Amino acid sequence: MPIQVRLNGELRELPDGLTVAGLLAHLGIKAPRVAVEVNEAVVTRDRHDAQRIGPGDAIEIVAFVGGG
Amino acid sequence: MADTWSIGARTFTSRLLVGTGKYPDFATMQRAHVASGAEIVTVAVRRLDLAAKGEASLLEWIPKGLVLLPNTAACFTAEEAIRTARLGRELGMGDLVKLEVIGDPRTLFPDVVGLVEAARALVKEGFTVLPYTNDDPVTARRLEEVGCAAIMPLGAPIGSGLGLRNPTNLRIILEAARVPVLVDAGVGTASDAAIAMELGAAAILMNTAIAGAQDPVLMAEAMRDGVTAGRKAFLAGRIPMRLHAAASSPMTGLIGR
């Protein structure tokens, strides 16, 4: 059964049981370029393999962009 | 001895910090960065566009060896700014943050209450906090008291190009501060940068004045020169202003008298 999460502000269905690392792979994102927050807490790179995504999680995936 | 300045444990030679926003393209930005001589560049933290695959990354265009200074631009609460700072640290693997807590969308003036609150929290988390603040000496003192590594008062609203609107307040902030004071925002052209440095600012941070110029690369060079000239004039010690003339040539020994 897929689970529903809020990913970068939008509702989205994901396969159940993904870790953060699995989510990034699922989305085709290279981990070194992004930072991930789950439920308003940063998931540091060393925890990408351990932290699991659960139903209803609010996930933010961010990167550096131009700014002043 | 080299004229350097420091934030925390890091020492810099260039007194010009530049942004990475609003350039016509990454190649122009890169050339402008090199021309500016900057050692620190600001970057923003934003949601990744999950639909856009394989887009060119900003980071590939920033010359190697430059220090990245993530900002919390467009954060309107202390909580948002703190979360953004943490994400910036995770992205950049450094503890520097340009802290912005904005209080008004039209002027982008800082919410100084939220700013001090966020600064206090981030200092406790080990961040090296560089707060973008108003030109208010009391707020500057509060920011220093909570442990900010520098104070960054605005010269004028962000992107306005108005130049230094309140040089006397900047002087009062400079007089009292025991951490580096950087003028952040409002600079329009090279003379503005020179004036800020003549007042004794440790450095200047700017984005739009360079990125929005008709020739960003040439303006970056002009800003570098303006900062250098202003810094040298500050060190040299200017003459006092006086109302009347003081002749440069002898007033005696004139012919025909």
Side-chain angles (χ1 to χ4, degrees):
Chain A
M1 275 285 285
I3 60 165
Q4 198 171 58
V5 298
R6 188 169 286 277
L7 178 58
N8 282 5
E10 289 182 7
L11 287 175
R12 184 151 174 165
E13 290 201 334
L14 293 178
D16 196 8
L18 282 181
T19 61
V20 168
L23 170 66
L24 294 178
H26 177 76
L27 296 168
I29 295 166
K30 289 176 190 157
R33 285 189 186 172
V34 299
V36 182
E37 190 190 61
V38 176
N39 300 332
E40 304 195 359
V42 172
V43 182
T44 52
R45 257 172 259 285
D46 56 321
R47 291 189 294 131
H48 280 195
D49 286 324
Q51 173 117 13
R52 291 196 175 275
I53 306 293
D57 279 353
I59 305 158
E60 298 282 354
I61 302 176
V62 301
F64 281 141
V65 300
Chain B
M1 208 177 105
D3 176 35
T4 60
W5 65 290
S6 301
I7 301 173
R10 300 171 186 80
T11 298
F12 302 100
T13 306
S14 169
R15 292 172 182 273
L16 176 56
L17 289 71
V18 297
T20 54
K22 300 206 261 189
Y23 283 92
D25 52 70
F26 284 146
T28 306
M29 179 191 79
Q30 188 179 64
R31 285 166 53 226
H33 283 174
V34 171
S36 74
E39 294 167 310
I40 305 173
V41 296
T42 56
V43 288
V45 177
R46 288 293 179 274
R47 281 175 171 163
L48 190 71
D49 183 356
L50 299 172
K53 291 264 163 65
E55 237 179 49
S57 163
L58 168 75
L59 295 183
E60 288 163 17
W61 291 91
I62 296 174
K64 294 278 172 283
L66 295 194
V67 173
L68 294 182
L69 174 57
N71 69 28
T72 64
C75 289
F76 277 76
T77 64
E79 291 73 23
E80 279 175 13
I82 292 165
R83 281 172 64 193
T84 303
R86 289 172 183 156
L87 286 165
R89 175 158 69 180
E90 172 68 7
L91 278 171
M93 293 167 286
D95 58 8
L96 286 173
V97 61
K98 171 182 164 177
L99 181 63
E100 294 186 34
V101 180
I102 301 299
D104 173 56
R106 191 151 179 240
T107 59
L108 298 180
F109 281 145
D111 173 347
V112 296
V113 176
L115 183 67
V116 173
E117 185 190 330
R120 182 184 287 117
L122 289 170
V123 167
K124 278 189 188 149
E125 291 186 24
F127 281 89
T128 300
V129 180
L130 286 67
Y132 160 71
T133 183
N134 219 320
D135 55 13
D136 170 36
V138 178
T139 306
R141 195 175 70 214
R142 293 274 179 268
L143 290 166
E144 195 174 327
E145 282 167 1
V146 300
C148 290
I151 309 293
M152 305 207 296
L154 54 83
I158 293 171
S160 69
L162 288 169
L164 308 190
R165 304 315 297 157
N166 201 340
T168 46
N169 269 31
L170 293 176
R171 281 173 60 193
I172 293 168
I173 292 171
L174 283 158
E175 179 188 66
R178 279 161 298 175
V179 294
V181 175
L182 288 72
V183 172
D184 179 6
V187 167
T189 188
S191 54
D192 298 332
I195 290 167
M197 296 310 296
E198 285 167 16
L199 293 177
I204 305 182
L205 198 166
M206 64 179 76
N207 185 358
T208 307
I210 294 174
Q214 286 184 32
D215 183 340
V217 180
L218 189 57
M219 186 57 89
E221 198 179 318
M223 290 299 186
R224 185 195 65 196
D225 292 347
V227 167
T228 304
R231 175 65 185 172
K232 284 181 180 171
F234 170 74
L235 293 174
R238 59 153 301 150
I239 60 163
M241 292 190 196
R242 42 194 295 163
L243 188 58
H244 299 120
S248 302
S249 307
M251 296 299 283
T252 55
L254 289 138
I255 60 164
R257 292 206 181 165

